Amino acid sequence: FLSRATAAVLPILLLIQVTPFLFYNGMRPALGPQSVFTRDRVDQIFVTRPELQASYRTISSALLSRDCGRVGLMMYDGDTWEYPLWVLTEDRLTFEHILVQNQSAASKSPSTPPCLVVTMEPMIPSVEVQGRVYRKVLVSGPLALWQ
């Protein structure tokens, strides 16, 4: 539908237009001292929520210090954030959602209770999964670890 000249010039114009957003992005720039190529992966994850980094590091360290391969995750709304736990635990643990309250609850529930639970709401009074009652062992910011 385009003339030969337009088809040759259009990609160049589009590339020029996208350059500032690609190279000078305020959150994850490709160039400069905060470049995605030089900045630590964990720091990049928390660039929009730096106040949560210490809490996630604390809980992740506690998870790795215990002899547990399966961790239950209790999340309460659409704004909970589990990805940093995967990265900080270096994919050495298996995370599974427990006590799910939405439509996906019917899809699959764990066959046995996990050995640890992380909740994204530290002030809940108790956690019980398939008859196993967990006790709160650590609270760090918006996260709590139950054993």
Side-chain angles (χ1 to χ4, degrees), residues 61-111:
S61 294
L63 288 169
L64 291 172
S65 71
R66 288 165 169 80
D67 186 26
C68 174
R70 283 181 50 236
V71 178
L73 289 177
M74 286 182 63
M75 302 180 146
Y76 303 97
D77 60 41
D79 194 27
T80 52
W81 205 27
E82 70 183 270
Y83 178 68
L85 293 172
W86 303 349
V87 173
L88 289 166
T89 58
E90 302 166 352
D91 292 325
R92 294 179 4 211
L93 305 175
T94 301
F95 292 98
E96 56 191 356
H97 294 265
I98 58 170
L99 304 176
V100 177
Q101 301 293 318
N102 61 23
Q103 296 166 339
S104 65
S107 66
K108 183 184 174 193
S109 62
S111 57

Side-chain angles (χ1 to χ4, degrees), residues 2-120:
L2 302 174
S3 71
R4 188 178 208 103
T6 304
V9 172
L10 187 60
I12 294 169
L13 290 175
L14 291 174
L15 184 62
I16 290 169
Q17 280 189 320
V18 77
T19 300
F21 301 103
L22 179 63
F23 293 110
Y24 303 105
N25 179 310
M27 300 284 206
R28 293 178 180 88
L31 299 176
Q34 300 298 316
S35 166
V36 295
F37 301 111
T38 59
R39 194 172 192 182
D40 178 68
R41 180 179 181 195
V42 174
D43 290 340
Q44 288 183 49
I45 291 170
F46 290 100
V47 72
T48 59
R49 299 174 88 177
E51 72 282 1
L52 297 178
Q53 187 169 354
S55 297
Y56 275 82
R57 283 188 182 274
T58 299
I59 294 294
S60 297
S61 294
L63 288 169
L64 291 172
S65 71
R66 288 165 169 80
D67 186 26
C68 174
R70 283 181 50 236
V71 178
L73 289 177
M74 286 182 63
M75 302 180 146
Y76 303 97
D77 60 41
D79 194 27
T80 52
W81 205 27
E82 70 183 270
Y83 178 68
L85 293 172
W86 303 349
V87 173
L88 289 166
T89 58
E90 302 166 352
D91 292 325
R92 294 179 4 211
L93 305 175
T94 301
F95 292 98
E96 56 191 356
H97 294 265
I98 58 170
L99 304 176
V100 177
Q101 301 293 318
N102 61 23
Q103 296 166 339
S104 65
S107 66
K108 183 184 174 193
S109 62
S111 57
T112 59
C115 48
L116 296 170
V117 172
V118 173
T119 60
M120 305 296 176

